Amino acid sequence: MMIRTFTPHDAAECLALFRNTIREINRRDYSPAQINAWASDDISLDAWAKRFEGRIAHVATHAGVIIGFTDMTEEGHLDRLFVAADFQRQGIARQLVLKLIENATEWECDGITTEASITAKPFFETMGFTVIQEQSVPCRGVALTNFKMRLAIG
């Protein structure tokens, strides 16, 4: 596995990985209606790609294929962290988050925040994040439960 900086050419592959991971992994914690809203086929590739602009983003690759990705704002908000279904529990998400912690430290952020899914919450807790609050957020007309979490740095 190799971690490198995201490039705009990675957007389509990351979107496909995002959809597949939600459909394969998150389905154990969310209803079919929630999965269909979250991983909708209606997500615009252009809009998806624009969300990476102005952020630090990394991809994990294996044999030239993207197997994970993450992105974070300069203010320290980790927006997306996804690892391909076939590569779960191999330390990839951990390596991606450690890279973001390194970036946040360089930017002198005092912490990293995220909104973790039910599925991802235990992972973030093992990385030292604490729950600030449980939330219900709208997504294409369906409510999704997630957890606002924070990791203090420094």
Side-chain angles (χ1 to χ4, degrees):
M1 184 212 33
M2 181 182 90
I3 294 178
R4 64 169 172 77
T5 302
F6 170 92
T7 69
H9 298 298
D10 297 326
E13 196 173 347
C14 287
L15 177 56
L17 185 152
F18 165 83
R19 286 183 176 130
N20 186 62
T21 300
I22 292 168
R23 292 170 181 168
E24 294 296 318
I25 302 300
N26 297 90
R27 69 181 182 183
R28 67 179 172 239
D29 296 310
Y30 293 91
S31 72
Q34 290 170 317
I35 295 297
N36 289 336
W38 189 7
S40 172
D41 287 329
D42 294 334
I43 297 169
S44 155
L45 177 58
D46 288 339
W48 172 267
K50 284 186 192 313
R51 282 183 56 195
F52 286 98
E53 292 176 6
R55 298 178 179 194
I56 185 72
H58 303 287
V59 296
T61 63
H62 175 71
V65 175
I66 295 174
I67 58 172
F69 72 93
T70 191
D71 68 310
M72 183 174 70
T73 67
E74 289 184 15
E75 296 77 31
H77 182 73
L78 190 167
D79 186 15
R80 295 169 287 192
L81 172 66
F82 288 89
V83 173
D86 292 342
F87 289 87
Q88 297 281 309
R89 300 190 174 275
Q90 296 181 27
I92 297 161
R94 177 178 172 72
Q95 292 303 312
L96 287 166
V97 170
L98 289 173
K99 187 71 175 161
L100 290 181
I101 292 169
E102 181 181 308
N103 297 136
T105 301
E106 291 169 5
W107 295 339
E108 299 180 354
C109 291
D110 64 353
I112 297 174
T113 60
T114 194
E115 294 174 349
S117 67
I118 296 167
T119 314
K121 179 179 171 266
F123 163 77
F124 281 106
E125 289 173 327
T126 66
M127 293 297 297
F129 284 73
T130 56
V131 174
I132 296 169
Q133 70 181 41
E134 182 175 333
Q135 308 178 119
S136 178
V137 295
C139 179
R140 293 176 191 80
V142 178
L144 299 176
T145 298
N146 72 19
F147 299 88
K148 186 169 185 167
M149 301 183 79
R150 184 172 193 282
L151 173 70
I153 297 177

